[in-house]
PDB file of all heavy atoms in Angstrom:
ATOM      1  N   SER K 136     101.476 112.689 115.322  1.00  0.00           N
ATOM      2  CA  SER K 136     100.305 113.614 115.526  1.00  0.00           C
ATOM      3  C   SER K 136     100.416 114.894 114.661  1.00  0.00           C
ATOM      4  O   SER K 136      99.485 115.328 114.067  1.00  0.00           O
ATOM      5  CB  SER K 136     100.190 113.941 117.039  1.00  0.00           C
ATOM      6  OG  SER K 136      99.113 114.860 117.218  1.00  0.00           O
ATOM      7  N   ALA K 137     101.667 115.438 114.717  1.00  0.00           N
ATOM      8  CA  ALA K 137     101.907 116.674 113.890  1.00  0.00           C
ATOM      9  C   ALA K 137     101.706 116.397 112.435  1.00  0.00           C
ATOM     10  O   ALA K 137     101.123 117.219 111.659  1.00  0.00           O
ATOM     11  CB  ALA K 137     103.365 117.109 114.146  1.00  0.00           C
ATOM     12  N   ALA K 138     102.114 115.221 111.949  1.00  0.00           N
ATOM     13  CA  ALA K 138     102.007 114.822 110.564  1.00  0.00           C
ATOM     14  C   ALA K 138     100.507 114.716 110.223  1.00  0.00           C
ATOM     15  O   ALA K 138     100.086 115.210 109.124  1.00  0.00           O
ATOM     16  CB  ALA K 138     102.723 113.516 110.308  1.00  0.00           C
ATOM     17  N   ALA K 139      99.756 114.157 111.109  1.00  0.00           N
ATOM     18  CA  ALA K 139      98.277 113.971 110.826  1.00  0.00           C
ATOM     19  C   ALA K 139      97.610 115.323 110.825  1.00  0.00           C
ATOM     20  O   ALA K 139      96.740 115.583 109.980  1.00  0.00           O
ATOM     21  CB  ALA K 139      97.746 113.113 111.954  1.00  0.00           C
ATOM     22  N   ARG K 140      98.014 116.244 111.732  1.00  0.00           N
ATOM     23  CA  ARG K 140      97.399 117.585 111.746  1.00  0.00           C
ATOM     24  C   ARG K 140      97.722 118.305 110.470  1.00  0.00           C
ATOM     25  O   ARG K 140      96.846 118.958 109.851  1.00  0.00           O
ATOM     26  CB  ARG K 140      98.031 118.413 112.898  1.00  0.00           C
ATOM     27  CG  ARG K 140      97.061 118.332 114.143  1.00  0.00           C
ATOM     28  CD  ARG K 140      97.330 119.480 115.062  1.00  0.00           C
ATOM     29  NE  ARG K 140      98.717 119.527 115.488  1.00  0.00           N
ATOM     30  CZ  ARG K 140      99.269 118.754 116.473  1.00  0.00           C
ATOM     31  NH1 ARG K 140      98.488 117.911 117.075  1.00  0.00           N
ATOM     32  NH2 ARG K 140     100.502 118.857 116.805  1.00  0.00           N
ATOM     33  N   LYS K 141      98.961 118.215 109.951  1.00  0.00           N
ATOM     34  CA  LYS K 141      99.314 118.863 108.706  1.00  0.00           C
ATOM     35  C   LYS K 141      98.564 118.263 107.572  1.00  0.00           C
ATOM     36  O   LYS K 141      98.034 118.961 106.626  1.00  0.00           O
ATOM     37  CB  LYS K 141     100.848 118.833 108.378  1.00  0.00           C
ATOM     38  CG  LYS K 141     101.181 119.575 107.131  1.00  0.00           C
ATOM     39  CD  LYS K 141     102.597 119.719 106.779  1.00  0.00           C
ATOM     40  CE  LYS K 141     102.731 120.558 105.555  1.00  0.00           C
ATOM     41  NZ  LYS K 141     104.052 120.574 105.013  1.00  0.00           N
ATOM     42  N   ALA K 142      98.415 116.960 107.525  1.00  0.00           N
ATOM     43  CA  ALA K 142      97.659 116.261 106.465  1.00  0.00           C
ATOM     44  C   ALA K 142      96.155 116.809 106.444  1.00  0.00           C
ATOM     45  O   ALA K 142      95.722 116.989 105.361  1.00  0.00           O
ATOM     46  CB  ALA K 142      97.682 114.760 106.722  1.00  0.00           C
ATOM     47  N   SER K 143      95.614 116.949 107.558  1.00  0.00           N
ATOM     48  CA  SER K 143      94.199 117.405 107.607  1.00  0.00           C
ATOM     49  C   SER K 143      94.089 118.803 107.129  1.00  0.00           C
ATOM     50  O   SER K 143      93.102 119.193 106.497  1.00  0.00           O
ATOM     51  CB  SER K 143      93.663 117.291 109.037  1.00  0.00           C
ATOM     52  OG  SER K 143      94.191 118.261 109.839  1.00  0.00           O
ATOM     53  N   ARG K 144      95.138 119.599 107.279  1.00  0.00           N
ATOM     54  CA  ARG K 144      95.110 120.994 106.777  1.00  0.00           C
ATOM     55  C   ARG K 144      95.221 121.087 105.279  1.00  0.00           C
ATOM     56  O   ARG K 144      94.513 121.900 104.704  1.00  0.00           O
ATOM     57  CB  ARG K 144      96.302 121.857 107.354  1.00  0.00           C
ATOM     58  CG  ARG K 144      96.001 122.349 108.742  1.00  0.00           C
ATOM     59  CD  ARG K 144      96.947 123.528 109.031  1.00  0.00           C
ATOM     60  NE  ARG K 144      98.335 123.211 108.839  1.00  0.00           N
ATOM     61  CZ  ARG K 144      99.165 122.677 109.767  1.00  0.00           C
ATOM     62  NH1 ARG K 144      98.684 122.325 110.954  1.00  0.00           N
ATOM     63  NH2 ARG K 144     100.434 122.526 109.487  1.00  0.00           N
ATOM     64  N   THR K 145      95.987 120.203 104.650  1.00  0.00           N
ATOM     65  CA  THR K 145      96.188 120.279 103.221  1.00  0.00           C
ATOM     66  C   THR K 145      95.290 119.306 102.483  1.00  0.00           C
ATOM     67  O   THR K 145      95.426 119.205 101.252  1.00  0.00           O
ATOM     68  CB  THR K 145      97.697 119.945 102.895  1.00  0.00           C
ATOM     69  OG1 THR K 145      98.003 118.710 103.344  1.00  0.00           O
ATOM     70  CG2 THR K 145      98.663 121.019 103.485  1.00  0.00           C
ATOM     71  N   LYS K 146      94.415 118.576 103.117  1.00  0.00           N
ATOM     72  CA  LYS K 146      93.631 117.544 102.494  1.00  0.00           C
ATOM     73  C   LYS K 146      92.519 118.142 101.593  1.00  0.00           C
ATOM     74  O   LYS K 146      92.265 117.659 100.510  1.00  0.00           O
ATOM     75  CB  LYS K 146      93.054 116.614 103.484  1.00  0.00           C
ATOM     76  CG  LYS K 146      92.875 115.233 102.957  1.00  0.00           C
ATOM     77  CD  LYS K 146      92.526 114.275 104.069  1.00  0.00           C
ATOM     78  CE  LYS K 146      92.694 112.885 103.713  1.00  0.00           C
ATOM     79  NZ  LYS K 146      93.991 112.338 103.923  1.00  0.00           N
ATOM     80  N   GLY K 147      91.771 119.137 102.124  1.00  0.00           N
ATOM     81  CA  GLY K 147      90.623 119.667 101.405  1.00  0.00           C
ATOM     82  C   GLY K 147      89.410 118.959 101.845  1.00  0.00           C
ATOM     83  O   GLY K 147      89.437 117.825 102.304  1.00  0.00           O
ATOM     84  N   ALA K 148      88.228 119.662 101.763  1.00  0.00           N
ATOM     85  CA  ALA K 148      86.943 119.155 102.321  1.00  0.00           C
ATOM     86  C   ALA K 148      86.517 117.817 101.781  1.00  0.00           C
ATOM     87  O   ALA K 148      86.149 116.906 102.494  1.00  0.00           O
ATOM     88  CB  ALA K 148      85.876 120.198 102.084  1.00  0.00           C
TER      89      ALA K 148
END
Side-chain angles (χ1 to χ4, degrees):
S136 177
R140 264 199 305 279
K141 183 173 184 191
S143 71
R144 277 202 306 274
T145 59
K146 211 173 196 86

